[in-house]
Amino acid sequence: QVRLVQSGGGLVHTEEFLTLSCTGSGFNMDNYAVAWYRQAPGKEREGVACISSNDGRTTWHLDSVRGRFVVSRDNAKKTSYLQLNIVKPEDTGLYYCGVAVVANQYHLCTRPGIVDAWGQGTQVTVFS
């Protein structure tokens, strides 16, 4: 059974931090790139950050989160992390992880149809 289980969402103040986790099972996650998307109320799902397969040497971050968020992966734990180091109210939304076999991280983070499987999503709410 292919599964992506997410955790780490919650309620956080502006300028505080949060780490989201995405753990895969039922497939060889090492060979898959990981995408992080979010969806704010009334808006389309948008790519936030992506990381390449295996050693994760290639990453892509949305302009509005670059320098504030960091995507990483720990293959020993079959997990990708999205570190929200400095949050803003506009970061509020449902955050989803997904996996795909792809080399181009820009494509992965701008073409959600590429994603093969999605996690269940986790809510992040930022308030001042």
Side-chain angles (χ1 to χ4, degrees), residues 18-22 29 32-37 47-62 65-75 79-85 95-99 105-106 108-109:
L18 198 66
T19 299
L20 308 183
S21 298
C22 176
M29 192 170 179
Y32 286 76
V34 180
W36 287 89
Y37 278 71
V48 176
C50 292
I51 186 168
S52 61
S53 61
N54 297 310
D55 62 4
R57 64 182 177 178
T58 303
T59 62
W60 183 93
H61 294 80
L62 185 67
V65 309
R66 190 172 294 115
R68 299 189 298 115
F69 294 4
V70 179
V71 64
S72 63
R73 66 186 301 153
D74 184 341
N75 291 336
T79 299
S80 175
Y81 302 96
L82 183 66
Q83 299 171 234
L84 289 62
N85 293 320
Y95 284 71
Y96 300 88
C97 66
V99 296
Q105 300 308 298
Y106 173 76
L108 179 59
C109 269

